[in-house]
Amino acid sequence: MSVTVAKPGEVRHNYLNAGDTVLSWLLTTDHKRIAILYLVSVSFFFLVGGLLAGLIRLELLTPQGDLMTSENYNRVFTMHGVVMIFLFLIPVIPAVLGNFLVPLMVGARDLAFPRLNLASWYLYMAGGLIATWAMVTGGVDTGWTFYPPYSSSYSTSQVTLTIIGAFIIGFSSIATGINFIVTIHKMRAPGLTWFRLPLFIWAHYATSVIIVLGTPVVAITLLLVVAERVFRLGIFDPALGGDPILFQHLFWFYSHPAVYIMVLPAMGVISEVVSCFSRKRVFGYHFVAFSSVAIAVIGFLVWGHHMFTTGQSVYAGMVFSLLSFLVAVPSAVKVFNWTATMYKGTIDLRAPLLYVMGFIGLFVIGGLTGLFLAALATDVHLQDTYFVVAHFHYIMVGGTILGYMAGLHFWWPKITGRMYPEGIAKLTALVIFAGFNLTFLPQFVLGFLGMPRRYHWYPEEWQMLHVMSTAGAFLLGIGFILPVFYLLWSLRTGALAGPNPWGATGLEWKVDSPPITHNFEQTPIVTEEPYAYDNHHEPEEVFSGTGASTTKR
Amino acid sequence: MKGVQLLPEQASTFASQVDLLFWFLVAVTVFFTVLIGALVVYFALRYRRGSTASRAGAKETDLRLEISWSLIPLTIGLIVFVWAAKLYASAYGPPPENALEIFVIGKQWMWHVQHPNGIRENNELHIPAGRPVKLTMISQDVIHSFFVPAFRIKRDVLPGKYNVVWFTATKPGKYHLFCAEYCGTQHSRMIGWVYVLEPADYEKWLASGGEARPYATASGAGTMAGVSTASLKEAGEKLYTQLRCNACHGATDGQRGPTHYGLFGKKVKMRDGTVVTADEEYIRESILRPLAKVVDGYEPIMPSYEGLLNEERVLQLVAYIKSLESSTKVAEVKP
Ligand code: HEM
Ligand SMILES: [Cu+2]
Ligand SMILES: [Cu+2]
């Protein structure tokens, strides 16, 4: 395969300088530019969600609800959840890293349906703006779970508008999912068999299947809430002849798999990064690949574990509990395989790998605390307490967001053509890790003590733990602000990266950084297994960047 | 700022059993977190670029390893599953026969409790230590959840359907009662206290009609003042006559409606051939939505009382009908 490489100083055509008008961005069908559009917009919503989290933590500094009224507190935590889940966590890795990398990794010029891809971003923005509009015109106070009959018959907040926003965002996910499935099936380069695919692709494939199967269910369910609210159709509210538990079944049928929509792509990132910085093939490639599929399948069968306390029969509870223990196994298999990948590798402790190590630690805690919740006897005590809050933050922040940070740093040189500053990036990874644990470890204790979630007031004897959590949250906040500055700074001043600064395998590293609009000058032909790292030789030209450095290190 | 609390109180028979499982899980979590964390850090340092540690024999995959690290988590998972499921089945199965029956109504944003002898409390629940207590609970509006951390029990309180929970308190004292399911603006104020009394104190409390209060009361909570303490079934009986249920339901079958004597716990055959056990839920449904299940041999002529009765009154009727045993002396029927 012939590869053309930029010489230092030479400005070559690439997707970034292919047009600089606003319209050239807003009407682009280039998957890489759409990834950038998504990067900017999800970052904005992450900021919004983060500020709302800051308000939650400030309020909980004292046991009395003194910073804001209960009405407002309920709106703040609801909107924190809605923004983080629907506008940040679900799209973040697929729509930013996935959009950018899926075509590159399979050796294609773009996704299968480039216009659908652009449409998905517009749908996302439309949904996001409607949700934002709902926020500024009164907000919602139902919790991101929208449980009826509270949401359908009692809440006086902007439930309908928010649900319409979420409904539209759902279509944007579906569009992305379909695009990935078709691209992965149909557009792989010659020689790129299924078992030569990077695990990032396997993870995105499994995620896309979940998105396409699950999202319609939640979309229709939420519309039914609107129907009950607006037209008083009796579906969920017993006063109208409905059944509120039916909603919970339908909602969790999607929303349990949705947690895997959030975390599987991060797992894909981890496989790429750990292998590159250990200079070894991912240990047990087939097991890691199939565990993604197993998670996607079993993940659809465990929704009832969110409903143990609803009056579900003891036997139904047992079935859902058993299945929940089974779904933990493939996740454990992945963790063991990543750990084994590092064994006897040649390890470069770069920032992305630090994030991966953070991911592994936090994901292990998040996953194991899931066992407390899958176990019937302990779950009935812990459900709807801060234990659950801590648990899902370990998965979603510790898992998804650290995975995203690892990937963002790892592929930053590919996306922008510049290196990020290594020292501060490493420091930031440590700040995030420390801040995260200080924030959420005390919440496990609070939950065990019995602190219910979504509480504005709480008993005085728990204040100390809340103070620790709030302190951690501000450290965590600093950790998330720092990358905004140093990554932006690197756009102008970072060292030029060259096509393959990490000496990584994978088709995306065989093209320029940033890549040209059509990715490949000629269709690549794949002849090697994935992760063909040579553990015994020092790769040449690694980690220096091929370009002239404009920064001192 | 009060001192840090790190362990919840254990005040029910279930609590210490749950905690044993909890601490076992904590041990499992700590073990695997430390194991994996230590390995990852150790590998990162030992095999860092430039270290001379031998890389000979590095593998790409190993079937035996894959099988063992699938089976070990699976085995631990299955052990925990069985342990937890057994415990849960014993605690959330049917309540013991001798359980003390108390009714709980959740509404935005308070807990309302009705004792069988007529005592009513708001945001407080007095119970004796050492005796099983069965709560039959329903919500008047949205979903709430009855949660007493010191007992390690939680059960959602749903609108339109009775949910039952039972427990045996062990240690006299005063314990938090929380609403654990988000229910709107004052969700975090839908709280109260459970008072566990020595059996003798409990008798005193009952005899005084709920006035003998061993603990100070938070404002807004407490026994309802000035409310007649006619027992629940007496109140139900009065209502039954007022609403003229006895126009159709008499002492024996064969009137316009079936008799209620001996109904509770009986297996009732429906028109469509199904057989239903007459529990609280069935009686409630028969009153509010008589057409949902029509008893075999009768015409569907019973009027619906939905919207006419609040949950409190329905409970009174249910309590009354429950009390009608078949051996009870036939009451006089005024047609
Ligand atoms: C960074 C990504 C984050 C995500 C994806 C996320 C996601 C969520 C979700 C889905 C909920 C449930 C919302 C609900 O109960 O309706 C939640 C609750 C909560 N989050 Fe986060 N969160 C994130 C960061 C944070 C941070 C940095 C803090 C600050 C410490 C925080 C504090 C909380 C608290 C205190 C609650 C519970 C609110 C309550 O129930 O009263 N979160 N989060
Ligand atoms: Cu789940
Ligand atoms: Cu509540």
Side-chain angles (χ1 to χ4, degrees):
Chain A
M1 180 180 14
S2 81
V3 170
T4 347
V5 170
K7 288 179 196 65
E10 180 192 357
V11 178
R12 287 171 46 96
H13 282 297
N14 62 49
Y15 80 99
L16 286 173
N17 62 21
D20 51 14
T21 61
V22 173
L23 271 191
S24 77
W25 282 93
L26 292 183
L27 296 180
T28 182
T29 52
D30 180 349
H31 66 104
K32 299 179 290 304
R33 286 191 155 216
I34 296 172
I36 302 288
L37 293 177
Y38 264 117
L39 173 64
V40 174
S41 26
V42 297
S43 304
F44 169 76
F45 284 112
F46 185 49
L47 178 69
V48 173
L51 290 175
L52 290 165
L55 283 178
I56 295 174
R57 287 312 326 166
L58 272 181
E59 171 63 79
L60 295 179
L61 214 41
T62 57
Q64 306 79 25
D66 39 18
L67 183 67
M68 46 189 134
T69 61
S70 294
E71 274 93 351
N72 287 336
Y73 180 79
N74 297 344
R75 283 165 167 75
V76 167
F77 79 70
T78 299
M79 293 181 306
H80 165 69
V82 168
V83 168
M84 286 298 194
I85 300 253
F86 295 110
L87 287 161
F88 179 69
L89 283 165
I90 290 179
V92 61
I93 298 184
V96 178
L97 299 177
N99 246 332
F100 197 95
L101 293 164
V102 167
L104 282 166
M105 284 184 169
V106 302
R109 300 181 134 213
D110 206 315
L111 284 173
F113 309 115
R115 288 187 202 161
L116 183 64
N117 196 18
L118 181 63
S120 98
W121 181 73
Y122 277 100
L123 287 169
Y124 170 84
M125 288 310 283
L129 288 179
I130 291 176
T132 311
W133 182 22
M135 269 188 253
V136 295
T137 57
V140 231
D141 71 345
T142 58
W144 76 278
T145 45
F146 297 105
Y147 274 16
Y150 184 71
S151 61
S152 63
S153 301
Y154 289 84
S155 171
T156 53
S157 62
Q158 293 280 29
V159 181
T160 306
L161 208 54
T162 311
I163 286 183
I164 292 174
F167 184 80
I168 296 175
I169 297 165
F171 279 95
S172 112
S173 301
I174 295 174
T176 304
I178 290 177
N179 235 330
F180 286 176
I181 292 176
V182 176
T183 308
I184 294 169
H185 269 279
K186 290 289 171 199
M187 296 173 67
R188 282 173 285 129
L192 190 53
T193 59
W194 283 89
F195 291 114
R196 284 180 177 171
L197 285 173
L199 290 163
F200 183 88
I201 297 292
W202 274 92
H204 275 74
Y205 185 76
T207 308
S208 304
V209 172
I210 305 179
I211 290 178
V212 171
L213 293 179
T215 315
V217 178
V218 78
I220 293 167
T221 309
L222 292 180
L223 272 200
L224 291 178
V225 170
V226 172
E228 181 162 285
R229 198 177 157 81
V230 178
F231 306 112
R232 307 305 295 144
L233 284 181
I235 302 161
F236 302 127
D237 183 352
L240 302 172
D243 180 359
I245 301 302
L246 174 65
F247 173 88
Q248 299 185 16
H249 281 292
L250 295 172
F251 181 82
W252 290 112
F253 181 79
Y254 164 80
S255 291
H256 180 82
V259 307
Y260 292 110
I261 296 180
M262 297 180 235
V263 84
L264 274 173
M267 294 170 155
V269 172
I270 301 306
S271 296
E272 300 302 309
V273 175
V274 79
S275 148
C276 173
F277 291 107
S278 306
R279 311 224 62 81
K280 257 183 81 198
R281 192 161 192 237
V282 176
F283 196 86
Y285 171 95
H286 287 80
F287 293 89
V288 178
F290 280 120
S291 62
S292 291
V293 179
I295 287 174
V297 174
I298 310 175
F300 271 109
L301 304 176
V302 302
W303 76 92
H305 65 206
H306 295 274
M307 301 167 61
F308 289 150
T309 62
T310 55
Q312 191 180 59
S313 82
V314 172
Y315 298 102
M318 287 186 185
V319 173
F320 284 123
S321 167
L322 180 62
L323 287 165
S324 307
F325 280 103
L326 295 187
V327 80
V329 174
S331 300
V333 167
K334 282 182 191 272
V335 169
F336 289 123
N337 278 301
W338 292 322
T339 310
T341 305
M342 293 175 72
Y343 177 63
K344 297 201 167 174
T346 299
I347 290 171
D348 290 292
L349 260 185
R350 293 276 169 155
L353 189 63
L354 277 189
Y355 280 111
V356 167
M357 292 165 67
F359 172 103
I360 294 178
L362 301 183
F363 183 75
V364 166
I365 297 179
L368 285 164
T369 52
L371 300 187
F372 292 66
L373 304 170
L376 286 158
T378 36
D379 179 73
V380 291
H381 175 55
L382 299 170
Q383 123 109 135
D384 270 327
T385 67
Y386 263 71
F387 193 93
V388 174
V389 174
H391 154 72
F392 68 65
H393 280 87
Y394 266 81
I395 302 280
M396 299 197 305
V397 182
T400 308
I401 299 187
L402 290 204
Y404 173 63
M405 296 298 283
L408 192 63
H409 285 80
F410 184 58
W411 284 292
W412 189 253
K414 180 56 59 187
I415 296 172
T416 66
R418 301 273 184 173
M419 302 302 291
Y420 62 83
E422 187 64 40
I424 181 149
K426 280 186 179 166
L427 179 72
T428 304
L430 294 178
V431 170
I432 290 180
F433 186 79
F436 178 83
N437 282 301
L438 184 54
T439 310
F440 291 104
L441 265 182
Q443 296 189 8
F444 282 123
V445 182
L446 280 167
F448 182 48
L449 292 175
M451 163 99 192
R453 69 190 285 201
R454 302 174 175 180
Y455 259 37
H456 182 210
W457 293 56
Y458 61 86
E460 284 174 22
E461 59 266 30
W462 295 338
Q463 185 173 13
M464 195 61 220
L465 289 161
H466 275 295
V467 170
M468 287 164 71
S469 183
T470 301
F474 283 88
L475 195 56
L476 188 56
I478 293 171
F480 282 125
I481 297 279
L482 284 173
V484 177
F485 290 104
Y486 68 73
L487 288 179
L488 286 178
W489 172 87
S490 79
L491 288 181
R492 300 208 62 131
T493 24
L496 287 177
N500 193 357
W502 308 127
T505 64
L507 292 177
E508 80 271 30
W509 299 108
K510 303 228 152 85
V511 298
D512 282 359
S513 305
I516 57 170
T517 300
H518 290 295
N519 296 348
F520 299 92
E521 286 178 349
Q522 45 197 245
T523 305
I525 295 169
V526 179
T527 53
E528 337 173 280
E529 298 305 305
Y531 311 112
Y533 288 108
D534 187 346
N535 192 5
H536 305 289
H537 298 88
E538 299 279 313
E540 329 100 57
E541 267 200 317
V542 174
F543 308 124
S544 51
T546 51
S549 172
T550 52
T551 51
K552 284 168 245 118
R553 296 239 198 144
Chain B
M1 209 186 288
K2 287 202 199 160
V4 189
Q5 185 195 0
L6 288 178
L7 291 176
E9 288 186 88
Q10 297 180 330
S12 77
T13 47
F14 189 42
S16 55
Q17 295 172 301
V18 172
D19 286 7
L20 198 62
L21 176 57
F22 181 89
W23 290 114
F24 174 76
L25 280 164
V26 170
V28 170
T29 305
V30 171
F31 175 78
F32 279 101
T33 309
V34 170
L35 175 75
I36 306 253
L39 282 179
V40 166
V41 172
Y42 174 73
F43 292 162
L45 298 178
R46 174 149 175 86
Y47 299 111
R48 70 190 181 280
R49 177 177 298 281
S51 90
T52 52
S54 155
R55 268 74 159 181
K59 286 193 188 155
E60 294 193 338
T61 186
D62 183 333
L63 191 61
R64 279 165 318 171
L65 270 179
E66 298 290 346
I67 291 177
S68 29
W69 63 45
S70 307
L71 286 185
I72 292 171
L74 184 67
T75 314
I76 297 176
L78 290 180
I79 292 171
V80 175
F81 162 72
V82 172
W83 180 351
K86 273 190 162 160
L87 197 52
Y88 178 77
S90 72
Y92 282 81
E97 288 292 324
N98 66 337
L100 179 66
E101 282 201 48
I102 300 176
F103 297 93
V104 174
I105 296 174
K107 45 186 151 187
Q108 284 178 328
W109 291 280
M110 62 176 291
W111 295 105
H112 180 65
V113 178
Q114 296 199 340
H115 293 264
N117 73 349
I119 300 180
R120 300 157 76 187
E121 311 181 75
N122 284 339
N123 299 330
E124 290 194 351
L125 169 63
H126 287 77
I127 52 169
R131 177 167 170 200
V133 174
K134 169 190 169 193
L135 303 180
T136 303
M137 310 186 290
I138 194 157
S139 159
Q140 200 135 289
D141 37 53
V142 301
I143 304 178
H144 304 278
S145 189
F146 186 92
F147 177 31
V148 183
F151 297 169
R152 310 288 187 277
I153 56 118
K154 180 182 293 120
R155 196 65 152 181
D156 291 1
V157 178
L158 307 174
K161 182 174 175 295
Y162 289 129
N163 251 349
V164 170
V165 70
W166 71 273
F167 47 84
T168 309
T170 48
K171 209 171 89 190
K174 177 181 170 189
Y175 306 103
H176 281 297
L177 160 63
F178 295 122
C179 174
E181 182 66 61
Y182 175 69
C183 58
T185 311
Q186 303 279 26
H187 167 56
S188 66
R189 312 298 288 151
M190 190 166 161
I191 55 176
W193 295 104
V194 177
Y195 296 96
V196 178
L197 308 181
E198 295 287 4
D201 290 339
Y202 180 70
E203 289 309 322
K204 252 188 265 166
W205 180 81
L206 275 186
S208 72
E211 296 299 326
R213 310 177 53 73
Y215 302 94
T217 311
S219 63
T223 316
M224 316 243 300
V227 172
S228 86
T229 47
S231 79
L232 210 54
K233 69 170 202 241
E234 283 161 20
E237 184 171 14
K238 226 169 105 202
L239 202 57
Y240 195 82
T241 333
Q242 260 172 23
L243 294 169
R244 303 192 52 77
C245 308
N246 45 14
C248 301
H249 296 286
T252 51
D253 278 338
Q255 320 226 358
R256 289 210 278 170
T259 183
H260 291 151
Y261 286 88
L263 172 61
F264 189 73
K266 200 174 80 180
K267 296 221 181 316
V268 186
K269 193 163 171 234
M270 297 296 135
R271 265 193 164 182
D272 59 9
T274 52
V275 174
V276 176
T277 307
D279 53 5
E280 287 97 344
E281 182 60 34
Y282 169 73
I283 297 178
R284 175 179 183 278
E285 188 187 44
S286 297
I287 300 172
L288 297 180
R289 284 184 301 278
L291 294 186
K293 297 197 179 82
V294 177
V295 182
D296 190 34
Y298 292 88
E299 289 307 307
I301 51 167
M302 170 158 165
S304 157
Y305 291 86
E306 191 148 33
L308 301 175
L309 298 171
N310 62 18
E311 293 298 345
E312 228 171 302
R313 300 189 151 220
V314 178
L315 269 180
Q316 292 167 350
L317 285 172
V318 172
Y320 173 62
I321 293 178
K322 272 176 73 173
S323 73
L324 299 172
E325 289 165 24
S326 43
S327 59
T328 312
K329 193 108 187 335
V330 170
E332 205 184 316
V333 183
K334 300 167 218 133

